[in-house]
Amino acid sequence: MTELRRCTRCVLPETHETIIFDEEGVCNVCRGQEYKQSRIDWDGKKRELDELIETYRGKYRYDCIVPFSGGKDSTWTLYYLIKEYGLKPLVVCYDHGFFRRNLLENTRRTMRKLGADLHVYTPNWKVVQKLMLQSFLDKGDFCWHCHTGIFAYPMWAAIRNEVPLIFWGEPSAEYTAFYSYDQPEEVDEKRFNRHTNLGISADDMYIRLGGDFDEREMQHFHYPPLKELRRINYRSVCLGSYIFWDVKKQYDVIRRELGWQGDEVENVPPGYEYEKIECYLQGVRDYIKYIKRGYTRPCHLATIDIRNNRLSREKAMEMIRTYEGKRPPSLEVFLSYIGLTEEEFMEISLGHGISPYVHDPAKERPGKKVHDFDSWPRYEAMPREEAQKLLNRWREKQR
């Protein structure tokens, strides 16, 4: 197994996107967290938030839009804006197709307790299947439809409803260095193209799929025209740019105040039941990341707890050794959705490996089924002939 160089503080490895180590071996994400914890005037930031909200409050059908997955971050964002400011938001949910039963119940409970209007959009399943496979072939990441839909659709909803203020959750500096805490970060087209869409526009994706379906199906994967957003005088910001973001404390609040319930997630350690409970393919997504980069979610969770002085580096490495490198049972569900064999899955995943990590499938261990595994839908798999067509085209380009 490849031994990766890791941050001397948080254990994040050299294959993490945007990572740079300084002369002490500390990564740039940790340095950004130092800035967050010691140099930002959070009282001043809160006053900026007060002013921003008062600029828009009461002038439109809704005071703001809150993009919402039902996970811990968007639930906290909605809770905070209603409880702290008494806002009337339009809650906009992009349904990526894999919500779990507990997540749906959390959403229903949250809406009833807080009293908010919920708007849900679910894209065409047949198109989603094609997008998943093409994205997996091209980027080793099958979530292109999810990344782009989550960030583009609420902007379309803002235009259609003429609600110009949009509140997202945590800033990206919590996890990466595409932006740092000392830089202004707005959730706009620049950020969308910088890392959300994996470098593939909706037009590009339509062409890569051969244009064999109605192009109108792709509309909500496009970022809306800037002139339309400017027409409504939009602001699209992260709540975590204005208030100190601490995921575990926020989880405690929504659990206590809203009855929000965590869940078991494949290969995620006990004690992190709040993490990524939205999607029953999360285990596959993490597994692919491990094959490509040699680390996965336990490492990511450990880095956050180390930076917040809740976990030692030694305990973090022990957790990583225990929980990473496992094949998730959900792989069989994923493969049926996109019409691939497990051998083809491994061929594609290994082809997207990030140097210096080299994955050895022989050293993998089996992961355990989570409690609701048997209830996940298996119907409407992608026909093998359709998958074979995209796979053949991809292989031809590899030559």
Side-chain angles (χ1 to χ4, degrees), residues 226-328:
L226 184 57
K227 66 178 182 180
E228 288 295 308
L229 292 166
R230 284 178 172 167
R231 180 182 61 78
I232 63 169
N233 190 30
Y234 87 113
R235 287 292 307 277
S236 176
V237 300
C238 298
L239 181 62
S241 296
Y242 298 95
I243 65 168
F244 190 92
W245 204 261
D246 187 330
V247 63
K248 278 200 166 172
K249 291 182 179 176
Q250 293 162 192
Y251 166 53
D252 286 342
V253 173
I254 59 174
R255 183 175 54 176
R256 182 177 64 249
E257 300 296 328
L258 301 177
W260 192 89
Q261 296 180 7
D263 211 338
E264 185 184 15
V265 177
E266 289 176 314
N267 301 328
V268 169
Y272 296 97
E273 291 81 6
Y274 52 82
E275 179 71 11
K276 286 296 176 188
I277 67 168
E278 299 96 320
C279 177
Y280 54 76
L281 294 184
Q282 187 60 48
V284 179
R285 178 168 169 75
D286 290 344
Y287 178 51
I288 294 170
K289 183 174 182 176
Y290 189 82
I291 295 170
K292 291 164 59 179
R293 299 177 182 272
Y295 79 103
T296 185
R297 194 153 302 276
C299 179
H300 159 75
L301 294 166
T303 61
I304 295 173
D305 273 354
I306 290 173
R307 292 177 193 135
N308 286 287
N309 300 313
R310 292 192 281 248
L311 187 68
S312 70
R313 199 173 189 285
E314 291 70 28
K315 288 289 184 184
M317 288 306 300
E318 183 181 330
M319 187 169 83
I320 289 168
R321 285 190 290 269
T322 301
Y323 288 96
E324 291 195 338
K326 294 182 178 180
R327 178 193 180 281

